[in-house]
mmCIF file of all heavy atoms in Angstrom:
data_model
loop_
_atom_site.group_PDB
_atom_site.id
_atom_site.type_symbol
_atom_site.label_atom_id
_atom_site.label_comp_id
_atom_site.label_asym_id
_atom_site.label_seq_id
_atom_site.Cartn_x
_atom_site.Cartn_y
_atom_site.Cartn_z
ATOM 1 N N TRP A 100 116.473 -39.770 157.240
ATOM 2 C CA TRP A 100 117.517 -40.240 156.335
ATOM 3 C C TRP A 100 118.893 -40.102 156.986
ATOM 4 O O TRP A 100 119.767 -40.954 156.815
ATOM 5 C CB TRP A 100 117.443 -39.435 155.040
ATOM 6 C CG TRP A 100 118.119 -40.061 153.869
ATOM 7 C CD1 TRP A 100 118.787 -41.262 153.820
ATOM 8 C CD2 TRP A 100 118.185 -39.533 152.552
ATOM 9 N NE1 TRP A 100 119.256 -41.508 152.564
ATOM 10 C CE2 TRP A 100 118.903 -40.465 151.760
ATOM 11 C CE3 TRP A 100 117.705 -38.365 151.962
ATOM 12 C CZ2 TRP A 100 119.163 -40.242 150.397
ATOM 13 C CZ3 TRP A 100 117.958 -38.146 150.610
ATOM 14 C CH2 TRP A 100 118.680 -39.069 149.841
ATOM 15 N N ALA A 101 119.089 -39.033 157.742
ATOM 16 C CA ALA A 101 120.402 -38.756 158.328
ATOM 17 C C ALA A 101 120.761 -39.723 159.446
ATOM 18 O O ALA A 101 121.936 -40.050 159.635
ATOM 19 C CB ALA A 101 120.433 -37.321 158.852
ATOM 20 N N ARG A 102 119.767 -40.184 160.214
ATOM 21 C CA ARG A 102 120.057 -41.011 161.394
ATOM 22 C C ARG A 102 120.857 -42.268 161.051
ATOM 23 O O ARG A 102 121.896 -42.529 161.661
ATOM 24 C CB ARG A 102 118.752 -41.380 162.101
ATOM 25 C CG ARG A 102 118.957 -42.193 163.377
ATOM 26 C CD ARG A 102 119.642 -41.333 164.422
ATOM 27 N NE ARG A 102 119.804 -42.034 165.676
ATOM 28 C CZ ARG A 102 120.882 -42.726 166.031
ATOM 29 N NH1 ARG A 102 121.897 -42.823 165.189
ATOM 30 N NH2 ARG A 102 120.957 -43.326 167.197
ATOM 31 N N PRO A 103 120.438 -43.085 160.075
ATOM 32 C CA PRO A 103 121.243 -44.279 159.765
ATOM 33 C C PRO A 103 122.489 -43.985 158.927
ATOM 34 O O PRO A 103 123.430 -44.780 158.939
ATOM 35 C CB PRO A 103 120.261 -45.167 158.990
ATOM 36 C CG PRO A 103 119.275 -44.222 158.401
ATOM 37 C CD PRO A 103 119.149 -43.089 159.365
ATOM 38 N N ILE A 104 122.499 -42.864 158.189
ATOM 39 C CA ILE A 104 123.634 -42.569 157.321
ATOM 40 C C ILE A 104 124.719 -41.795 158.060
ATOM 41 O O ILE A 104 125.913 -42.131 157.987
ATOM 42 C CB ILE A 104 123.167 -41.777 156.083
ATOM 43 C CG1 ILE A 104 122.111 -42.571 155.301
ATOM 44 C CG2 ILE A 104 124.353 -41.430 155.183
ATOM 45 C CD1 ILE A 104 122.598 -43.918 154.795
ATOM 46 N N TRP A 105 124.330 -40.757 158.796
ATOM 47 C CA TRP A 105 125.290 -39.901 159.506
ATOM 48 C C TRP A 105 125.371 -40.228 160.994
ATOM 49 O O TRP A 105 126.129 -39.608 161.726
ATOM 50 C CB TRP A 105 124.907 -38.432 159.344
ATOM 51 C CG TRP A 105 125.001 -37.923 157.944
ATOM 52 C CD1 TRP A 105 125.687 -38.475 156.908
ATOM 53 C CD2 TRP A 105 124.367 -36.742 157.418
ATOM 54 N NE1 TRP A 105 125.532 -37.726 155.763
ATOM 55 C CE2 TRP A 105 124.726 -36.649 156.052
ATOM 56 C CE3 TRP A 105 123.544 -35.757 157.959
ATOM 57 C CZ2 TRP A 105 124.299 -35.603 155.230
ATOM 58 C CZ3 TRP A 105 123.107 -34.727 157.142
ATOM 59 C CH2 TRP A 105 123.478 -34.648 155.794
ATOM 60 N N ASN A 106 124.536 -41.165 161.453
ATOM 61 C CA ASN A 106 124.495 -41.569 162.861
ATOM 62 C C ASN A 106 124.061 -40.424 163.776
ATOM 63 O O ASN A 106 124.446 -40.366 164.943
ATOM 64 C CB ASN A 106 125.854 -42.115 163.319
ATOM 65 C CG ASN A 106 125.738 -42.932 164.592
ATOM 66 O OD1 ASN A 106 124.716 -43.591 164.832
ATOM 67 N ND2 ASN A 106 126.761 -42.893 165.435
ATOM 68 N N THR A 107 123.239 -39.535 163.265
ATOM 69 C CA THR A 107 122.691 -38.444 164.058
ATOM 70 C C THR A 107 121.410 -37.967 163.405
ATOM 71 O O THR A 107 121.265 -38.028 162.176
ATOM 72 C CB THR A 107 123.682 -37.276 164.186
ATOM 73 O OG1 THR A 107 123.107 -36.244 164.998
ATOM 74 C CG2 THR A 107 124.030 -36.689 162.818
ATOM 75 N N TRP A 108 120.464 -37.502 164.231
ATOM 76 C CA TRP A 108 119.209 -36.982 163.689
ATOM 77 C C TRP A 108 119.403 -35.614 163.057
ATOM 78 O O TRP A 108 118.665 -35.237 162.144
ATOM 79 C CB TRP A 108 118.164 -36.875 164.793
ATOM 80 C CG TRP A 108 117.731 -38.192 165.354
ATOM 81 C CD1 TRP A 108 118.116 -38.738 166.548
ATOM 82 C CD2 TRP A 108 116.848 -39.138 164.750
ATOM 83 N NE1 TRP A 108 117.519 -39.960 166.740
ATOM 84 C CE2 TRP A 108 116.716 -40.241 165.644
ATOM 85 C CE3 TRP A 108 116.138 -39.176 163.542
ATOM 86 C CZ2 TRP A 108 115.932 -41.347 165.371
ATOM 87 C CZ3 TRP A 108 115.333 -40.282 163.272
ATOM 88 C CH2 TRP A 108 115.242 -41.346 164.170
ATOM 89 N N TRP A 109 120.374 -34.876 163.537
ATOM 90 C CA TRP A 109 120.563 -33.508 163.062
ATOM 91 C C TRP A 109 122.027 -33.121 163.128
ATOM 92 O O TRP A 109 122.725 -33.485 164.082
ATOM 93 C CB TRP A 109 119.730 -32.534 163.897
ATOM 94 C CG TRP A 109 119.860 -31.107 163.446
ATOM 95 C CD1 TRP A 109 120.713 -30.156 163.930
ATOM 96 C CD2 TRP A 109 119.144 -30.481 162.373
ATOM 97 N NE1 TRP A 109 120.563 -28.973 163.242
ATOM 98 C CE2 TRP A 109 119.601 -29.146 162.278
ATOM 99 C CE3 TRP A 109 118.159 -30.926 161.492
ATOM 100 C CZ2 TRP A 109 119.095 -28.263 161.326
ATOM 101 C CZ3 TRP A 109 117.663 -30.041 160.558
ATOM 102 C CH2 TRP A 109 118.132 -28.723 160.479
ATOM 103 N N THR A 110 122.494 -32.397 162.141
ATOM 104 C CA THR A 110 123.822 -31.802 162.163
ATOM 105 C C THR A 110 123.701 -30.392 161.611
ATOM 106 O O THR A 110 122.864 -30.133 160.730
ATOM 107 C CB THR A 110 124.823 -32.624 161.329
ATOM 108 O OG1 THR A 110 126.106 -31.995 161.378
ATOM 109 C CG2 THR A 110 124.368 -32.750 159.877
ATOM 110 N N TRP A 111 124.515 -29.501 162.125
ATOM 111 C CA TRP A 111 124.400 -28.102 161.711
ATOM 112 C C TRP A 111 125.133 -27.865 160.386
ATOM 113 O O TRP A 111 125.979 -26.999 160.264
ATOM 114 C CB TRP A 111 124.906 -27.182 162.812
ATOM 115 C CG TRP A 111 124.041 -27.240 164.021
ATOM 116 C CD1 TRP A 111 124.291 -27.917 165.170
ATOM 117 C CD2 TRP A 111 122.753 -26.641 164.175
ATOM 118 N NE1 TRP A 111 123.233 -27.780 166.048
ATOM 119 C CE2 TRP A 111 122.273 -26.996 165.468
ATOM 120 C CE3 TRP A 111 121.945 -25.845 163.357
ATOM 121 C CZ2 TRP A 111 121.047 -26.577 165.949
ATOM 122 C CZ3 TRP A 111 120.710 -25.434 163.847
ATOM 123 C CH2 TRP A 111 120.279 -25.793 165.126
ATOM 124 N N ASP A 112 124.766 -28.695 159.420
ATOM 125 C CA ASP A 112 125.263 -28.535 158.048
ATOM 126 C C ASP A 112 124.674 -27.257 157.451
ATOM 127 O O ASP A 112 123.533 -26.892 157.766
ATOM 128 C CB ASP A 112 124.848 -29.759 157.227
ATOM 129 C CG ASP A 112 125.255 -29.666 155.771
ATOM 130 O OD1 ASP A 112 126.398 -30.004 155.452
ATOM 131 O OD2 ASP A 112 124.394 -29.245 154.953
ATOM 132 N N PRO A 113 125.426 -26.543 156.594
ATOM 133 C CA PRO A 113 124.913 -25.276 156.051
ATOM 134 C C PRO A 113 123.552 -25.393 155.379
ATOM 135 O O PRO A 113 122.682 -24.538 155.584
ATOM 136 C CB PRO A 113 125.996 -24.863 155.052
ATOM 137 C CG PRO A 113 127.241 -25.469 155.583
ATOM 138 C CD PRO A 113 126.818 -26.776 156.195
ATOM 139 N N ARG A 114 123.349 -26.443 154.581
ATOM 140 C CA ARG A 114 122.050 -26.562 153.897
ATOM 141 C C ARG A 114 120.933 -26.859 154.881
ATOM 142 O O ARG A 114 119.828 -26.311 154.756
ATOM 143 C CB ARG A 114 122.123 -27.631 152.805
ATOM 144 C CG ARG A 114 120.789 -27.891 152.118
ATOM 145 C CD ARG A 114 120.948 -28.485 150.753
ATOM 146 N NE ARG A 114 121.422 -27.516 149.767
ATOM 147 C CZ ARG A 114 121.566 -27.790 148.475
ATOM 148 N NH1 ARG A 114 121.298 -28.996 148.013
ATOM 149 N NH2 ARG A 114 121.989 -26.858 147.640
ATOM 150 N N LEU A 115 121.187 -27.718 155.851
ATOM 151 C CA LEU A 115 120.163 -28.019 156.852
ATOM 152 C C LEU A 115 119.843 -26.790 157.689
ATOM 153 O O LEU A 115 118.673 -26.492 157.970
ATOM 154 C CB LEU A 115 120.622 -29.162 157.760
ATOM 155 C CG LEU A 115 120.380 -30.594 157.266
ATOM 156 C CD1 LEU A 115 121.187 -30.887 156.013
ATOM 157 C CD2 LEU A 115 120.732 -31.588 158.364
ATOM 158 N N THR A 116 120.881 -26.072 158.082
ATOM 159 C CA THR A 116 120.678 -24.906 158.940
ATOM 160 C C THR A 116 119.892 -23.819 158.225
ATOM 161 O O THR A 116 118.952 -23.232 158.783
ATOM 162 C CB THR A 116 122.032 -24.347 159.410
ATOM 163 O OG1 THR A 116 122.763 -25.389 160.075
ATOM 164 C CG2 THR A 116 121.842 -23.179 160.349
ATOM 165 N N THR A 117 120.256 -23.532 156.982
ATOM 166 C CA THR A 117 119.555 -22.488 156.228
ATOM 167 C C THR A 117 118.113 -22.905 155.909
ATOM 168 O O THR A 117 117.220 -22.057 155.834
ATOM 169 C CB THR A 117 120.301 -22.160 154.927
ATOM 170 O OG1 THR A 117 120.604 -23.387 154.215
ATOM 171 C CG2 THR A 117 121.604 -21.424 155.210
#
Side-chain angles (χ1 to χ4, degrees):
W100 199 0
R102 182 67 177 93
I104 301 300
W105 295 342
N106 198 32
T107 181
W108 294 103
W109 181 266
T110 180
W111 294 102
D112 177 84
R114 176 157 287 184
L115 275 65
T116 304
T117 50

